[in-house]
Amino acid sequence: MMKRSSGVLCPVFSLPGGYSIGSFGAPAFRFLDRLAEGGFSWWQVLPLCVCDECNSPYKSPSTFSLNPYFIDLPTLCTEGLITEEELAAARESYPYLCEYDRLREERLPLLFRAAARLADRTPVEEFLASHPQVGEFCRFMALRTQNGGSDWQNFRVWDPDEEIVFCWGFTQYEAYRQWQTVRAYAKERGIGIIGDIPIYVAEQSSDVCFHREEFLLGPDGRARFIAGVPPDYFSAEGQMWGNPLYNWPLARKNRYAFFRARLSWMLELFDGVRLDHFRGFESYFRIPATAASAREGKWVRGPGKSFLRAISDLTSRALFIAEDLGEITPAVEELVESSGFPSMRVLQFGFLGDSKSPHLPHNYPENCVAYTGTHDNNTLLGYLFEMSAGERQWLMRYCGVSEENWVDSSPAILRTLLSSHAGLSILPIQDIFGFGADTRINTPGVASGNWAYRMTDGQLTLADFARFLSLNRLYGRK
């Protein structure tokens, strides 16, 4: 059972800084200081892996990768790997959103120049030797460059340029080293870090390229079936995620070695892990790769308890959270219960049904993690603006706020969440600030405009974390 506590959900890319995206540098340490001042015990992040062309970390070219954009440039300058002039040239133009177009054009060439200046290559080589899946990712990225960015199924060159492999290896070593420094500082401040492991991997990834037998692929190496979900709260047509599905029968014979390797990697990086789309381990939605929409998919039994037994030695070492949102059946509920993992509750879902909704705070069990919203939800203020009049009236009554003051009701709603029975309450950083829909992280089913929100140093400094310290103490979370 979790110790009663609270935390803040904030992607690394949302941190302030000065170089187009949040990083593993000084702003991360200042953020941790503020969390400690607020009496928070956890920082929850999104996946730290390399993002896709839509900037999503949930469809990465490798789940064993770390995003080079998160490498702190001032640290490289101090180490003598980039010049003062190069650092100055990398200064951001706009602090409120990640400058992805600029990052794609400029950041890797700068990091590769830093790699070329490294006097002693031994630490990088040793890191890759001890982390073979990271080494696979570096080879994959070199091969993708040498093959003109084509899909791996169309690669003609399979002998990677070792200098490109090393440069990618440098980015992974440096990001890992900097992140471990952040994590050590968090521990000093009494804060654990919760990571996020997507259940699926991308077809165009080193994971699939070098481990094809683990997935349901055709003779051409393309996915025969893809992952997704049927119509739900987020999409009337359902969602086609495009990820290839696992070959679960083979995985079971191998004692789920590939997924165990993923979890072991997560435990090197985090003190807790959110298991994304946990219901997929009970039953997963299988859509033919040729389907026109997710409506053509169907539910298929997943690995279930055999998977949980196979990973129990790993999950006993840290906090694991079962993301059990979406279409939940009694069988899924039973699997979550048997796992012992805390499940998830989202206050924004609580006012869509009736008083028996599991997402209403009075129904929260102790063994759950409760959120006002996740990275896929609107901010709390944005949610209030978009609610129907009847739903908003119900929410105001629930939280003891007069209906005419609903615009200023966020503090009362956050207090309601913190006072609930949930063992762990997580507040998105935008809700701490009281920000609206323009700071939303992701809108599912929408390809552009996501994964870009950033705070500023001034906003982080001026936020009233003392109020949260008082609330955390009042409700036994500190």
Side-chain angles (χ1 to χ4, degrees):
M1 190 69 69
M2 297 174 294
K3 177 183 176 182
R4 186 170 171 82
S5 56
S6 63
V8 173
L9 170 62
C10 178
V12 170
F13 60 72
S14 293
L15 294 174
Y19 301 94
S20 301
I21 196 170
S23 76
F24 299 152
F29 295 88
R30 292 197 294 272
F31 178 73
L32 288 164
D33 287 340
R34 301 254 50 205
L35 295 192
E37 291 169 16
F40 293 106
S41 302
W42 295 95
W43 173 18
Q44 183 172 340
V45 299
L46 299 187
L48 301 183
C49 50
V50 175
C51 55
D52 68 1
E53 64 277 4
C54 295
N55 309 316
S56 169
Y58 289 90
K59 211 170 181 182
S60 173
S62 174
T63 60
F64 294 92
S65 65
L66 291 170
N67 194 334
Y69 297 164
F70 295 158
I71 293 173
D72 184 60
L73 297 185
T75 298
L76 293 184
C77 188
T78 300
E79 294 170 349
L81 295 177
I82 64 173
T83 67
E84 293 281 357
E85 293 75 17
E86 288 170 330
L87 181 64
R91 290 289 303 184
E92 65 194 22
S93 302
Y94 187 72
Y96 302 105
L97 295 172
C98 297
E99 297 179 318
Y100 285 117
D101 289 342
R102 183 179 179 189
L103 287 165
R104 276 189 284 270
E105 182 178 346
E106 299 177 5
R107 190 56 53 91
L108 278 180
L110 176 60
L111 294 174
F112 280 23
R113 289 198 297 274
R117 294 166 183 158
L118 193 67
D120 183 5
R121 295 190 166 198
T122 303
V124 175
E125 293 166 350
E126 290 178 346
F127 173 74
L128 294 180
S130 62
H131 295 82
Q133 292 88 359
V134 179
E136 287 176 348
F137 160 70
C138 296
R139 292 196 297 277
F140 179 79
M141 297 305 281
L143 289 171
R144 195 158 75 169
T145 297
Q146 293 169 253
N147 285 277
S150 66
D151 292 351
W152 64 260
Q153 293 91 342
N154 299 325
F155 282 0
R156 294 294 180 265
V157 177
W158 285 96
D159 185 19
D161 183 314
E162 291 302 325
E163 188 60 25
I164 301 177
V165 174
F166 175 79
C167 287
W168 272 107
F170 166 78
T171 70
Q172 298 306 289
Y173 166 77
E174 186 66 21
Y176 182 90
R177 189 182 65 82
Q178 290 189 10
W179 176 247
Q180 294 299 349
T181 302
V182 172
R183 187 179 174 194
Y185 186 76
K187 186 175 182 180
E188 290 177 12
R189 299 309 313 262
I191 296 170
I193 302 179
I194 300 172
D196 193 326
I197 180 169
I199 183 173
Y200 296 118
V201 302
E203 181 177 291
Q204 295 307 315
S205 67
S206 60
D207 309 311
V208 178
C209 178
F210 294 122
H211 301 274
R212 302 173 204 179
E213 70 283 356
E214 297 283 348
F215 304 91
L216 298 179
L217 307 178
D220 60 355
R222 305 283 179 178
R224 293 166 49 210
F225 302 96
I226 59 174
V229 288
D232 61 8
Y233 170 83
F234 291 113
S235 174
E237 290 297 313
Q239 299 176 47
M240 298 175 68
W241 296 337
N243 309 77
L245 297 174
Y246 291 107
N247 183 349
W248 284 124
L250 175 69
R252 184 170 184 170
K253 290 180 182 178
N254 295 337
R255 294 199 72 250
Y256 304 98
F258 179 75
F259 218 100
R260 283 180 56 84
R262 294 186 67 196
L263 291 178
S264 296
W265 172 242
M266 292 293 100
L267 292 175
E268 283 194 48
L269 303 175
F270 305 112
D271 307 291
V273 179
R274 188 190 85 130
L275 287 169
D276 176 58
H277 196 58
F278 186 85
R279 74 137 305 143
F281 297 116
E282 191 284 320
S283 294
Y284 57 93
F285 201 61
R286 187 179 74 183
I287 307 169
T290 56
S293 79
R295 292 183 179 275
E296 298 181 41
K298 68 177 183 178
W299 291 105
V300 178
R301 286 291 300 275
K305 291 182 181 179
S306 74
F307 173 74
L308 296 180
R309 288 192 295 269
I311 64 172
S312 61
D313 60 317
L314 298 174
T315 57
S316 64
R317 290 162 44 189
L319 170 66
F320 276 79
I321 301 168
E323 188 272 284
D324 57 341
L325 306 176
E327 184 179 331
I328 302 304
T329 65
V332 176
E333 293 174 350
E334 198 277 330
L335 186 65
V336 174
E337 181 70 22
S338 68
S339 75
F341 304 152
S343 56
M344 287 179 56
R345 300 292 185 270
V346 179
L347 183 140
Q348 289 190 26
F349 295 155
F351 299 89
L352 300 175
D354 57 28
S355 61
K356 295 180 182 179
S357 169
H359 295 286
L360 285 173
H362 69 269
N363 292 324
Y364 293 168
E366 186 176 356
N367 193 34
C368 81
V369 183
Y371 301 75
T372 47
T374 72
H375 65 274
D376 282 333
N377 291 101
N378 205 338
T379 68
L380 182 55
L381 184 60
Y383 166 73
L384 288 169
F385 270 91
E386 293 181 359
M387 294 180 84
S388 70
E391 291 169 345
R392 192 162 54 232
Q393 184 182 57
W394 180 13
L395 176 57
M396 293 305 100
R397 289 202 313 271
Y398 193 94
C399 296
V401 180
S402 60
E403 293 175 31
E404 62 269 22
N405 292 330
W406 67 266
V407 173
D408 299 316
S409 63
S410 290
I413 298 172
L414 298 182
R415 184 184 184 118
T416 299
L417 194 78
L418 291 170
S419 68
S420 74
H421 285 295
L424 174 56
S425 293
I426 300 283
L427 310 180
I429 188 63
Q430 303 99 306
D431 294 350
I432 296 267
F433 293 155
F435 288 169
D438 58 326
T439 63
R440 181 172 181 162
I441 296 296
N442 181 51
T443 303
V446 176
S448 61
N450 299 315
W451 320 107
Y453 159 70
R454 292 183 69 204
M455 71 183 85
T456 66
D457 276 310
Q459 291 165 349
L460 183 60
T461 300
L462 293 174
D464 186 9
F465 279 88
R467 176 168 66 91
F468 290 98
L469 176 61
S470 176
L471 291 173
N472 279 320
R473 285 174 171 169
L474 179 64
Y475 296 118
R477 297 190 183 278
K478 174 58 179 177

